[in-house]
Amino acid sequence: MNVADSRDQALSLLTAALNHADLAVKLSSLKQAKDILSSLDSSSAAVLFPYVADLQRSPHTLVRKFLLEIIEDIGLRAIEHSAVLVPVLVAFLRDVDSDVVKQSIVTGTHFFCCVLEEMTVQFQQHGKVDQWVQELWMWMVGFKEDVFSIALQPGPIGIKLLALKFLETYVLLFTPDNVYHEKFEATRGSRRTFNISWLSGGHPMLDPVALTSDANRTLCVLLDMLQSASSLPGAVTITIVNCLAAIARKRPLHYGTVLSALLDFNPNFELARECHKASIHYSLRTAFLGFLRCTYPAIVESRERLLRALRAMNAGDAADQVIRQVEKMIKNSERERASREIQSVRDDQASSQAYVLGDVSKKRSMPQDNEELTNSFEMASKRIRSGPNSHSTPPTHINDSGQDFSSVNGASHNFPLSDDNLTPVEQMIAMIGALLAEGERGAESLEILISKIHPDLLADIVITNMRHLPKSPPLSKFGTLPTTQQAVNVNSRAQVVPPPAPTNSLHSPVSTPQLPVTSAATTGSSISDTSTVNNFAADSKRDPRRDPRRLDPRRPAVSVGMSSTPVLEDTGTAMSEFDGSISNKPLSVPVVEDPSVRSMPNIQSNDKIIEGPSITGVEQPTAEGDVVGGQEDIAPIVEINSSSSHSVSPYMIDVDSAELKADAEVKHETDEPLFPESDQEFPGSITESSLDETGRDLPVLPIYVELTEEQKRSVRKSAVQQIAESYLHLYWSDCNETRMALLARLVGQIDADDDIIVMLGKQIVVDYRQQKGHEIVLQVLYHLYSLTVTISVDNSSYSAVLYEKFLLEVSKSLLDTLPASDKSFSRLLGEVPFLPDSALKLLDDLCSSDVFDVTGKEIRDAERVTQGLGVVWSLILGRPNNRQACLGIALKCAVHSQDDIRGKAIRLVANKLYQLNYISGEIEQFATNMLLSAVDQRAAGAEFMQAGSIDERVETEVGSGDASTSGSQLPEPRDSGVDSNNTESASNSASVVSFPEAQRLISLFFALCTKKPSLLQLLFDIYGRAPKIVKQAFHRHIPIVIRALGQSYSQLLRIISDPPQGSENLLTLVLQILTQETTPPPDLVATVKHLYETKLKDATILIPMLSSLSKNEVLPIFPRLVDLPLEKFQLALAHILQGSAHTGPALTPAEVLVAIHDIVPEKGGPPLKKITDACSACFEQRTVFTQQVLAKALNQLVDQVPLPLLFMRTVIQAIDAFPTLVDFVMEILSKLVSKQIWRMPKLWVGFLKCVVQTQPHSFPVLLQLPPPQLESTLNKYGTLRSSLASYASQPNIKGSPPRSTLAILGLANDSHMQPQQQQQQQPHMSNLHSSDTSSVRGATPT
Amino acid sequence: MVCSSNQNRSMESHYLLKKQGFDVSSYGTGTHVKLPGPSLREPNVYEFGTPYKHMFDDLRRKDPDLYKRNGILPMLKRNLSVKLAPQRWQDNAADGYFDIVFTFEEKVFDMVLEDLHNRDQVLLKSVLVINLEVKDNHEEAAVGARLALDLCEQIEAVESWEDSIDDIMISFENKHRRKLMYSISFY
């Protein structure tokens, strides 16, 4: 099939698609047509394009949608012929069907990129752009506008999302992407997406600056939408957040802007409509996490903020995880970067040298001292900057971020990563210059840019730009009185005011030679002298065309666009901080006077600026940033416009201010505290010379007024006061960071003795939290501090005073106004550049001194103490310089007489501070000293509290700690010192430390012991010599320590194994605590046993261990236990009987009894009394020593040879305790009889006693006795005889005893009486029985 | 349907939605496919792309009782009836675009979003990513799958999800007392 046939076929198919009634047929025809079109070459297919485009009339959605697909498919391949197709895209944006609209956006986006790329390629390759591409581009611009309006206007959300996506794409396309440093090699269809950094300018449609500013505007649109998210559906909000996040991630240039917008974004708004808040929240979270994953320096820098934000939304874990992942990546990439940097720096040096040569040869008119001045400015600004910045971020990052910015003007490829040579400030200036050079559009982007610049950077830009100022005011020739000045001004105004035009025209020639630097930078692929020269030529050719555009539209643009904020910033950029203050002033001073006078300073600034360009660009002999120097020049040029236009509109407000301003200016020039060099160089000669140099055709110069010192001061004061006041009032609502930076510098102008600072501090604190109080205060403090540091000694003193005053004021106000739980105070002290002593004193007071309410009653806010201690802690961690002092405060609190303060402080010291190895030594030393002072009865603590200067003390302690090497000796030198101090107080205070006092002094040490068990040694060492009260305090504390130690008491074991003299009580207490409720571990048992065996013979220490000892271990020491005081023995008994869970009791109760009886009193063991007491102690425990136990024990004892001494006593006690044992006892007794008990005199007494007590049960036993013994018994106990006789005469018994026995009873002959007696006996017997039991029961133990 | 290992939660939903006639795929975002092993410290680890059948055989060989008891074998059996092997989300660019992505764990949600953000978004096709927190056990997975189905049907029912996603989310949360999260990305 040839081409013509195919074409015809396609045509018919297309017609069918349009006209056929059936949708299915339409679609299938379209499909076929598409296939054919794809197969044709582009030019033949293009013939059919009009027919394709015709399909847009189709009423069927599907057809229209398919049409879009065809357009995308074939149109992009034949882009040069697609002029007929593109309008379809634009038309379909307004289609009724949202699917068609969506597809149209998608297809259009692709076209957009394609056309853009085509255009760039053409221009780069041929230096011109074909007409058809331009036409297409116009369509695309229209398309863009339409999509933008879709994004902004209400409509179906699906479409809106795509439109937002297009906005994102647009911003990405036209924001320089500094990833690709090397020049884009123009190739069609390269895989890389287009980026603005490919463009080098020169084509009206491809003007990078215009496009960039357009992109910036688009970004602002997105940001604005985010602001108004409350009225948007959730899906839109989320998409906006995602788009912004994508932009920030892909274009670090916008990162700062987007980040602060997202951080400020608060999704908890009251919603106009229902939307899913959690998801919106989450989209923020996702965005932040995504940022964390990025390794751009700017993003890495803001990591802390991100982490804070993420933690606030409970995503700390996820964040930490991401950080960990990324850290590895960063490390790798940094290594790579380092190697690359070396390379690029080398390149860059070469290039900048080239420029230096060119420039210097062209114009070398710089006066020498001017150069010096510049350098000093530079240095000053650098120093100032390094203050706050180095605070948190490594300097390389700062440079890198600057690098990112610099790419805006397209110059970045020339000095990729030239961190060493270009400071961010210089790069920013360069960029501002480039933007300004672009006129109206540039001004708009400039506005955006400046509003996003970090305030410190901006302030530095201001200062860096001061190099363009003349060194001395060109007005010194004029009169001195303000009145005359005004008069002169009025006169001279006629000449002065008109000049804007001449001024500008004056500039253009000056600036032209500068431009090449920029353009050379953008276009220059190879850097050499020749190329520079070529570019010079090219540029001056181009210039005429640019000039009008730059001049004319700019003025209105500036005056309109920069009404309030930008005014201050722009002028500030051009001039100095003084100018910044000028621009502030009109806002503050209410009355209007004479416009003419007002214009004076502006004109003056013009002068300066005019001079600027002629100087700079030449004067950079150092390798550092010559290119930038050139670009900087452009910046001031436009400043004239801004200032001159201001002189017409917003400035005209005021009257006084004119005077004021003139004065302020004078002041400023005279004593410029920032730049001391200029002080001496004021003389008129230089002025004149600079005038000569610059003032060829300049208008009449403003007046310089000489004021006295006094006047200067008062003027200065009132000026600053007014500015500050109005500033705070007016700008609180939307206080931005730039203003803070300027305010900080303003405060630097205040005299030390002024109370403005107090007022200012209070004012700031009023809305501290809602507003950026913290940031403002820090700005101010850092600035003041930088003044203190950078300026020579005599000048710095007042800023130091000012610093201190301001800090104190703010701190106090913070404490007064905010609740204790507020972290602002802590944060403030933690982040200020320097903490003066007075601040520490404040902190000290907060922590420990008493607070009195209005009535003089003492109140103490525990919260405040907590707050104070929290601050102390964070300062110790974060401020090594103040560590000593803060530690002093903490320690002082740790021995505070109030329990709650002390408790808190001790917790802080022991739990947190003591872990820090750099101060643990001091803490330990301090605690030890306190402990010793308590023990040694010295009221050192009280003394010390009075002395107050804790620092000294701590220091001396450190000193002594260093001096002596062994820990135990450490206290010695200190002691003597304290002694001498204390003689007085010791004499009038009671010599004995009170219990609370003792507690106060020792608690810290005990708290430390829980952290470091080795400290316990000291406790044991000194325990012996401690007074009773202190010992009690020890006893109170030691359980806590021991319990806190838990199982890790190896240190304790060492002490236990070798306890110092006098510490036995403490040791026992410790052992008790250790074994309480738990089984003592084997090593402890072993240690204690060893101790007992070797050193300490006191069995008391064994008591707690007894439960874990075995029978064999207990038995040897049993006599010693018995020998202990009764209550200790009882305790021991309890332990023995309790036993351990594993082994059971060491001894059974019966065994205990046996053991007691086994003790032989004579052998140096316990006296008999102790043994009997022990026995009684056993009997008292009737639940333990039960009847059965006794029986068992007695059974064992009775078989022993010899019988234990106390045996009979125990038997009697047993029968007393348990009368039911009587039968058993009788068995025992008869056994004893068989053992011839009468041969053991001591026992025999007891035996008889028992027999008597247990009658009549004992009668059978009695009868067993041999007659002589019976005889003596009966003689002894006469009462027995009759009852025994009557018992024995019973018939059933009478036969059993031997006759001799009966004879003793006198029964041998009266056998006939037996029955009678027996009859009598029977009732008697029963009677006896009952009475007997009662008697036994009633018997008292002997 | 995306979960961590493309075994339990995502596959349960895949299975259910497929049965209901949805055009559905499932993925995991982990670096490996992990299945419980004899102890917590010894999981069975496979590469993505290892067929379910292979895992099934492997585990049956190792300890049939254990893996039957803890439901792994039945799960694998179910899985191998749904598709061949677990697939990794991060490698799915070739599978074209999806209208809705379901994740069942916040971590997975994060990874999917991060991955989508890192892709070249040239198609400009919006995709709804929904996270439904589901515990990684069989019972919860079954519950989660039913919820996912319910949600899909609701979204399917409306003309354009973009317009009503907030309402759907809120009403779903209220109805089932489950927390949802969604985000929007582009292909």
Side-chain angles (χ1 to χ4, degrees), chain A residues 669-916:
Chain A
E669 313 263 355
T670 349
D671 63 2
E672 279 181 355
L674 265 180
F675 315 108
E677 285 92 337
S678 68
D679 277 353
Q680 311 105 326
E681 303 189 17
F682 199 10
S685 61
I686 295 177
T687 315
E688 279 169 298
S689 72
S690 66
L691 272 179
D692 289 344
E693 212 181 282
T694 57
R696 282 174 297 258
D697 44 1
L698 290 183
V700 175
L701 292 163
I703 299 162
Y704 177 72
V705 184
E706 193 74 63
L707 291 177
T708 66
E709 252 339 283
E710 196 52 44
Q711 280 172 315
K712 280 182 198 165
R713 195 172 302 129
S714 69
V715 163
R716 189 157 57 216
K717 178 180 165 183
S718 63
V720 171
Q721 187 166 7
Q722 283 193 30
I723 292 166
E725 271 176 5
S726 57
Y727 177 89
L728 289 173
H729 285 312
L730 286 177
Y731 288 106
W732 259 139
S733 50
D734 63 337
C735 183
N736 80 16
E737 295 187 337
T738 314
R739 297 200 189 96
M740 289 182 209
L742 283 169
L743 180 67
R745 280 151 181 81
L746 203 56
V747 172
Q749 309 287 329
I750 305 176
D751 265 356
D753 52 345
D754 276 338
D755 45 2
I756 303 176
I757 200 84
V758 177
M759 174 275 298
L760 192 63
K762 285 196 169 123
Q763 207 135 30
I764 288 175
V765 170
V766 169
D767 286 328
Y768 195 79
R769 263 185 305 182
Q770 290 76 15
Q771 313 296 351
K772 297 180 174 174
H774 180 72
E775 283 79 359
I776 292 187
V777 170
L778 277 192
Q779 283 274 11
V780 171
L781 288 176
Y782 265 100
H783 182 72
L784 289 176
Y785 184 65
S786 69
L787 292 184
T788 319
V789 173
T790 48
I791 296 180
S792 58
V793 185
D794 39 327
N795 284 344
S796 68
S797 61
Y798 93 88
S799 40
V801 174
L802 202 56
Y803 176 90
E804 193 169 334
K805 225 170 168 182
F806 186 68
L807 176 59
L808 273 189
E809 190 48 50
V810 174
S811 306
K812 279 180 188 156
S813 315
L814 277 181
L815 288 176
D816 290 345
T817 49
L818 297 181
S821 56
D822 194 271
K823 293 271 184 283
S824 308
F825 178 66
S826 166
R827 195 164 156 225
L828 177 70
L829 290 198
E831 295 179 17
V832 297
F834 164 74
L835 277 184
D837 288 344
S838 51
L840 292 169
K841 177 76 170 58
L842 180 74
L843 189 56
D844 188 18
D845 290 347
L846 179 68
C847 292
S848 59
S849 74
D850 298 328
V851 185
F852 296 96
D853 65 5
V854 274
T855 59
K857 215 176 73 183
E858 188 185 325
I859 47 162
R860 173 154 300 286
D861 191 350
E863 299 282 301
R864 287 288 172 200
V865 177
T866 312
Q867 185 190 16
L869 289 173
V871 175
V872 168
W873 180 28
S874 62
L875 290 185
I876 286 176
L877 290 178
R879 288 188 165 272
N881 285 339
N882 303 106
R883 199 169 277 158
Q884 285 299 341
C886 291
L887 180 60
I889 295 173
L891 292 178
K892 191 169 140 191
C893 292
V895 293
H896 199 274
S897 53
Q898 294 209 1
D899 286 347
D900 57 336
I901 297 182
R902 188 171 68 235
K904 281 174 180 159
I906 286 177
R907 271 199 296 280
L908 171 69
V909 172
N911 295 341
K912 311 287 186 200
L913 301 182
Y914 194 51
Q915 318 293 330
L916 309 171

Side-chain angles (χ1 to χ4, degrees), chain A residues 102 106 109-110 157-158 161-162 165 233-235 238-239 242 249 274-276 278-279 282 285-286 293, chain B residues 106 109-110 113-114 117-118 121-124 162-163 165-167 169-170 173 180-184 186:
Chain A
K102 279 193 212 170
V106 173
T109 309
H110 293 147
I157 296 170
L161 298 187
L162 270 178
K165 191 68 189 166
I238 289 172
T239 308
N242 288 346
R249 285 171 69 166
E274 286 265 284
C275 74
H276 195 244
S279 297
Y282 206 90
R285 184 194 127 127
T286 310
R293 286 200 181 86
Chain B
E106 204 171 272
F109 185 59
D110 286 344
L113 286 177
E114 175 66 17
H117 289 166
N118 283 334
Q121 301 177 344
V122 286
L123 279 180
L124 296 180
E162 289 99 332
D163 289 308
I165 185 66
D166 282 323
D167 299 334
M169 287 282 155
I170 291 168
E173 280 186 339
L180 283 179
M181 209 74 83
Y182 78 92
S183 189
I184 296 165
F186 289 86

Side-chain angles (χ1 to χ4, degrees), chain B residues 37-124:
Chain B
S39 80
L40 210 58
R41 287 163 179 275
E42 318 163 68
N44 291 296
V45 179
Y46 301 97
E47 292 299 313
F48 275 97
T50 311
Y52 291 115
K53 181 84 173 82
H54 173 87
M55 300 180 195
F56 183 82
D57 293 341
D58 188 36
L59 294 186
R60 196 168 54 178
R61 187 173 46 76
K62 277 185 185 162
D63 189 344
D65 280 348
L66 170 69
Y67 294 113
K68 195 173 261 169
R69 210 165 353 110
N70 65 13
I72 301 293
L73 286 181
M75 180 185 78
L76 285 169
K77 200 160 192 174
R78 188 265 324 274
N79 292 352
L80 60 87
S81 76
V82 175
K83 64 177 187 180
L84 175 70
Q87 294 162 278
R88 186 149 189 265
W89 167 267
Q90 286 87 337
D91 307 327
N92 78 350
D95 297 3
Y97 61 83
F98 296 95
D99 296 314
I100 302 178
V101 177
F102 261 93
T103 62
F104 295 103
E105 195 179 324
E106 204 171 272
K107 214 172 67 190
V108 177
F109 185 59
D110 286 344
M111 290 178 92
V112 167
L113 286 177
E114 175 66 17
D115 179 65
L116 282 171
H117 289 166
N118 283 334
R119 295 188 187 189
D120 278 340
Q121 301 177 344
V122 286
L123 279 180
L124 296 180

Side-chain angles (χ1 to χ4, degrees), chain A residues 328-345:
Chain A
K328 232 185 269 170
M329 280 164 53
I330 290 184
K331 255 178 228 151
N332 294 339
S333 69
E334 257 168 17
R335 224 170 292 136
E336 279 173 38
R337 174 197 293 262
S339 59
R340 256 192 301 153
E341 233 162 68
I342 293 166
Q343 182 62 36
S344 65
V345 164

Side-chain angles (χ1 to χ4, degrees), chain A residues 1093-1139:
Chain A
E1093 282 157 16
T1094 55
K1095 216 177 153 197
L1096 195 65
K1097 289 297 179 190
D1098 186 358
T1100 314
I1101 57 161
L1102 285 174
I1103 294 174
M1105 307 297 125
L1106 286 173
S1107 56
S1108 347
L1109 297 184
S1110 68
K1111 182 177 174 182
N1112 292 337
E1113 290 165 322
V1114 172
L1115 284 179
I1117 56 169
F1118 199 79
R1120 294 203 162 271
L1121 295 174
V1122 172
D1123 202 11
L1124 293 170
L1126 187 60
E1127 67 267 26
K1128 286 191 180 173
F1129 171 73
Q1130 282 169 333
L1131 193 62
L1133 192 59
H1135 277 287
I1136 291 173
L1137 293 174
Q1138 170 205 342

Side-chain angles (χ1 to χ4, degrees), chain A residues 784-1082:
Chain A
L784 289 176
Y785 184 65
S786 69
L787 292 184
T788 319
V789 173
T790 48
I791 296 180
S792 58
V793 185
D794 39 327
N795 284 344
S796 68
S797 61
Y798 93 88
S799 40
V801 174
L802 202 56
Y803 176 90
E804 193 169 334
K805 225 170 168 182
F806 186 68
L807 176 59
L808 273 189
E809 190 48 50
V810 174
S811 306
K812 279 180 188 156
S813 315
L814 277 181
L815 288 176
D816 290 345
T817 49
L818 297 181
S821 56
D822 194 271
K823 293 271 184 283
S824 308
F825 178 66
S826 166
R827 195 164 156 225
L828 177 70
L829 290 198
E831 295 179 17
V832 297
F834 164 74
L835 277 184
D837 288 344
S838 51
L840 292 169
K841 177 76 170 58
L842 180 74
L843 189 56
D844 188 18
D845 290 347
L846 179 68
C847 292
S848 59
S849 74
D850 298 328
V851 185
F852 296 96
D853 65 5
V854 274
T855 59
K857 215 176 73 183
E858 188 185 325
I859 47 162
R860 173 154 300 286
D861 191 350
E863 299 282 301
R864 287 288 172 200
V865 177
T866 312
Q867 185 190 16
L869 289 173
V871 175
V872 168
W873 180 28
S874 62
L875 290 185
I876 286 176
L877 290 178
R879 288 188 165 272
N881 285 339
N882 303 106
R883 199 169 277 158
Q884 285 299 341
C886 291
L887 180 60
I889 295 173
L891 292 178
K892 191 169 140 191
C893 292
V895 293
H896 199 274
S897 53
Q898 294 209 1
D899 286 347
D900 57 336
I901 297 182
R902 188 171 68 235
K904 281 174 180 159
I906 286 177
R907 271 199 296 280
L908 171 69
V909 172
N911 295 341
K912 311 287 186 200
L913 301 182
Y914 194 51
Q915 318 293 330
L916 309 171
N917 50 17
Y918 43 81
I919 50 174
S920 59
E922 289 163 35
I923 295 173
E924 209 172 300
Q925 189 56 49
F926 178 83
T928 310
N929 285 340
M930 287 297 118
L931 177 73
L932 289 174
S933 72
V935 170
D936 297 342
Q937 293 293 309
R938 284 186 250 100
E943 178 102 323
F944 160 63
M945 295 291 274
Q946 287 154 16
S949 73
I950 196 140
D951 306 319
E952 284 173 26
R953 188 186 167 86
V954 172
E955 266 154 24
T956 48
E957 278 166 14
V958 179
S960 67
D962 290 343
S964 56
T965 44
S966 101
S968 60
Q969 284 165 358
L970 272 180
E972 299 306 318
R974 186 67 207 154
D975 285 352
S976 57
V978 175
D979 261 337
S980 62
N981 287 344
N982 279 345
T983 41
E984 286 174 9
S985 74
S987 60
N988 39 10
S989 70
S991 61
V992 176
V993 184
S994 68
F995 184 70
E997 178 71 358
Q999 281 207 315
R1000 176 175 81 77
L1001 294 173
I1002 67 171
S1003 344
L1004 177 63
F1005 191 84
F1006 275 92
L1008 295 189
C1009 285
T1010 60
K1011 306 293 169 196
K1012 187 175 172 187
S1014 62
L1015 293 175
L1016 285 167
Q1017 181 70 48
L1018 182 64
L1019 283 182
F1020 281 86
D1021 285 344
I1022 60 169
Y1023 179 80
R1025 58 183 158 115
K1028 196 168 168 236
I1029 297 283
V1030 179
K1031 277 185 177 155
Q1032 280 177 7
F1034 270 44
H1035 294 166
R1036 178 79 63 87
H1037 277 94
I1038 198 86
I1040 306 162
V1041 176
I1042 302 298
R1043 274 183 212 119
L1045 282 180
Q1047 294 301 309
S1048 59
Y1049 53 70
S1050 60
Q1051 198 65 39
L1052 202 56
L1053 275 186
R1054 206 169 308 142
I1055 299 172
I1056 291 171
S1057 68
D1058 185 18
Q1061 203 74 34
S1063 65
E1064 290 79 7
N1065 280 341
L1066 187 62
L1067 182 68
T1068 313
L1069 185 61
V1070 168
L1071 290 179
Q1072 270 178 21
I1073 298 159
L1074 278 178
T1075 52
Q1076 242 167 30
E1077 292 161 12
T1078 62
T1079 328

